[in-house]
Amino acid sequence: QLRRQSRAERVLLHYNGHGVPRPTGNGEVWVFDKKHREYIPLAVADLRQWLGTPSLVVLDCSAAGILIPFWTGPLSDSPP
């Protein structure tokens, strides 16, 4: 939906992950479920696909560096 509306314009995603669990070694960040009752993992690979290009991502959370391989590698492969 977001990518469809933005067409070829750049999309900015600012993930503020302070106060939630740290990102996982599997390339996941934590978000609330629909009822805002518990945290659930969300794969950054899914975010990359949803955002499309062009996009700019700010990962504002503890241990954000662990996610770099998941943002920079090919979508179809696991990070090195």
Side-chain angles (χ1 to χ4, degrees):
Q1 175 86 16
L2 177 64
R3 176 46 62 192
R4 232 178 315 143
Q5 289 178 340
S6 63
R7 298 185 184 128
E9 296 294 323
R10 186 173 316 278
V11 173
L12 168 65
L13 170 70
H14 182 177
Y15 172 76
N16 183 351
H18 297 286
V20 302
R22 290 176 179 239
T24 70
N26 295 326
E28 299 162 321
V29 293
W30 295 91
V31 296
F32 274 122
D33 65 359
K34 288 183 179 182
K35 295 182 180 182
H36 298 276
R37 294 190 179 157
E38 62 183 319
Y39 293 116
I40 56 173
L42 175 62
V44 294
D46 290 340
L47 283 174
R48 285 180 65 188
Q49 289 179 334
W50 297 340
L51 291 173
T53 58
S55 59
L56 176 66
V57 178
V58 177
L59 298 171
D60 186 6
C61 61
S62 297
I66 197 170
L67 298 171
I68 292 174
F70 297 94
W71 281 103
T72 58
L75 280 173
S76 60
D77 297 340
S78 298

